[in-house]
Amino acid sequence: VLCCYGSFPFQRGRGRNGRIGFEAKLTSSSSSSNLIGADGTKQQRSTSTPSKRLQHHMQQQQQDKNNDWKTNGKGIMYRHLTEENPRDCWSESAATNFKIRGPRYLTDGIKQVSQPSRFQLMCCEMCGVDERIDHIANMKHSAINRLRTECKFPPGSHPFPINFIIIQFQLPGISFTMYMKARSNQDPDSEVCPGYSKMLHNFVNMGDDYRNERFKIVPTVIVGSWIVRKMVGAKPALLGRKISCSYHKGEDYLEIDVDISSSYVAQKILGVVQGTCKTLQVDLGFLIEGKNERELPEVMIGAIRYHHVDLGAIPPLKVENLSPTTSVEQDAEPHSDRKDKRVERKTTM
């Protein structure tokens, strides 16, 4: 039974004397509730704590305040996952979250949990772009410039021909870039398989045909709806067979640019995922496919987990962040056509 007393609704309840009366429902933390006994007397009961609904609202407001995009001042989001900021961020996903080809996969077809990844995820850049950017490591804002200073690689610290692997996903109007550094004090030929160092050396130095037949992604939707899980799937796939990938080799890195717009299927999946990204946690793992016994078992290069990323809120990249050491050629086209252009750089490797 509900009635109205002043401006507050009342709810049936019991007074201190055990008699049934009506209790005011208040959500203010500084108010008290009136209890009307059956004898008509008013009794006061303190309500010093907010209601659950009010507490949730206050927590959500604080969370929204904390979830403002944190950038480096140049339009780039670097934020790593923390308890205070669990959304619009990234973290490194453990290699043990992925099952990949085991040592005798070619004969028994059995997969196993990956050993620790050979590279460590150091940074993730997210930014809005007007044009598709190729070879993002060659731009002024790129995190590779900071990582070269922060990361030390003493001679013999790892057996690879490069120190960094960079993977950029080129979405329509958005750039996602992951930076991974080689882990120190590792011997993959004894820890993983006898042919791993040679396989990675070939991947870095051989042509795109070899790379396209080797570069593999393993997607996993950790938190998400059934339809998103169904669309994304969880099977490993050779990216170069389905999507256009371009490779850029620097003095100490290999960059892989994955153009999502080059695949109709990838764009359809993105269309489904894009509207629900704020509710998703997604793992993306990367590795080189082993094709013979010396290259098995497989092991992850590295992996990333995206946490509830709002694609519509990603800050735009400021145009002045182009590298001063390179030139950028752009065709004289109307502004409305800018989204279809590519940013090219005159560089020599």
Side-chain angles (χ1 to χ4, degrees):
V1 180
L2 295 177
C3 64
C4 187
Y5 183 81
S7 60
F8 301 108
F10 282 77
Q11 185 177 33
R12 188 179 177 92
R14 291 184 181 271
R16 293 180 183 176
N17 56 6
R19 296 182 180 180
I20 295 176
F22 296 91
E23 182 179 5
K25 295 176 65 179
L26 299 178
T27 58
S28 172
S29 59
S30 61
S31 302
S32 60
S33 20
N34 293 323
L35 192 65
I36 309 301
D39 56 0
T41 60
K42 295 181 180 180
Q43 299 176 358
Q44 296 277 335
R45 188 174 71 181
S46 173
T47 56
S48 58
T49 58
S51 67
K52 290 183 178 180
R53 181 177 296 180
L54 181 59
Q55 286 180 327
H56 175 75
H57 177 70
M58 294 169 63
Q59 291 172 356
Q60 188 63 45
Q61 281 189 326
Q62 183 62 36
Q63 187 180 77
D64 291 342
K65 182 178 180 181
N66 292 337
N67 285 341
D68 292 340
W69 286 94
K70 302 296 187 296
T71 74
N72 66 345
K74 300 176 182 177
I76 311 299
M77 197 284 286
Y78 284 122
R79 192 173 67 203
H80 188 276
L81 174 70
T82 63
E83 291 185 1
E84 294 78 18
N85 297 298
R87 306 176 69 85
D88 289 326
C89 56
W90 60 273
S91 64
E92 182 174 30
S93 182
T96 52
N97 291 332
F98 301 89
K99 294 189 70 174
I100 50 183
R101 294 183 175 187
R104 290 175 290 278
Y105 178 84
L106 300 178
T107 56
D108 60 21
I110 295 177
K111 295 185 177 182
Q112 66 178 28
V113 172
S114 174
Q115 295 184 44
S117 62
R118 300 297 99 184
F119 285 71
Q120 177 185 358
L121 181 64
M122 297 299 295
C123 180
C124 176
E125 294 177 339
M126 301 181 186
C127 60
V129 294
D130 288 331
E131 305 103 356
R132 193 182 79 194
I133 301 175
D134 290 330
H135 199 178
I136 200 165
N138 206 33
M139 297 186 69
K140 181 180 178 180
H141 78 267
S142 175
I144 190 67
N145 302 303
R146 174 173 58 86
L147 293 175
R148 282 190 178 121
T149 303
E150 294 180 357
C151 302
K152 306 301 181 183
F153 299 94
S157 60
H158 65 79
F160 306 137
I162 53 174
N163 294 329
F164 302 97
I165 287 181
I166 303 168
I167 303 172
Q168 179 193 190
F169 279 88
Q170 301 167 320
L171 282 65
I174 299 174
S175 171
F176 282 6
T177 310
M178 294 146 276
Y179 295 82
M180 306 178 190
K181 75 161 189 174
R183 296 186 186 274
S184 300
N185 303 318
Q186 60 170 305
D187 182 7
D189 292 344
S190 62
E191 298 168 357
V192 182
C193 61
Y196 189 83
S197 293
K198 181 180 179 181
M199 179 173 61
L200 194 139
H201 184 277
N202 291 339
F203 182 76
V204 171
N205 292 294
M206 294 187 72
D208 291 357
D209 291 341
Y210 179 91
R211 294 162 174 159
N212 288 337
E213 291 297 319
R214 294 283 187 152
F215 184 53
K216 187 186 289 186
I217 185 173
V218 187
T220 306
V221 178
I222 305 301
V223 177
S225 66
W226 175 86
I227 189 169
V228 172
R229 293 174 186 270
K230 190 71 174 178
M231 291 287 289
V232 174
K235 292 183 178 180
L238 292 169
L239 271 177
R241 287 185 178 180
K242 304 294 184 182
I243 300 175
S244 176
C245 296
S246 57
Y247 303 85
H248 308 276
K249 185 175 179 295
E251 61 173 318
D252 59 352
Y253 67 84
L254 177 68
E255 177 180 332
I256 306 167
D257 293 342
V258 182
D259 182 10
I260 299 299
S261 64
S262 65
S263 168
Y264 174 79
V265 174
Q267 288 191 74
K268 296 296 286 185
I269 294 174
L270 177 63
V272 173
V273 172
Q274 195 164 4
T276 60
C277 268
K278 290 188 289 185
T279 66
L280 301 180
Q281 285 187 17
V282 179
D283 279 0
L284 297 178
F286 306 93
L287 66 154
I288 302 173
E289 182 171 271
K291 294 184 179 292
N292 58 61
E293 290 184 358
R294 289 185 58 81
E295 298 173 348
L296 294 175
E298 293 176 332
V299 66
M300 303 302 293
I301 292 175
I304 188 169
R305 177 171 294 181
Y306 290 108
H307 300 262
H308 310 288
V309 176
D310 183 358
L311 297 182
I314 294 177
L317 174 67
K318 295 183 179 180
V319 295
E320 64 267 21
N321 291 325
L322 296 179
S323 172
T325 61
T326 60
S327 59
V328 181
E329 287 188 349
Q330 297 182 5
D331 298 332
E333 298 176 5
H335 179 76
S336 59
D337 296 332
R338 290 181 66 194
K339 290 186 178 180
D340 297 325
K341 292 191 296 182
R342 295 176 58 176
V343 177
E344 302 287 356
R345 287 163 182 73
K346 289 183 177 180
T347 58
T348 57
M349 291 296 180

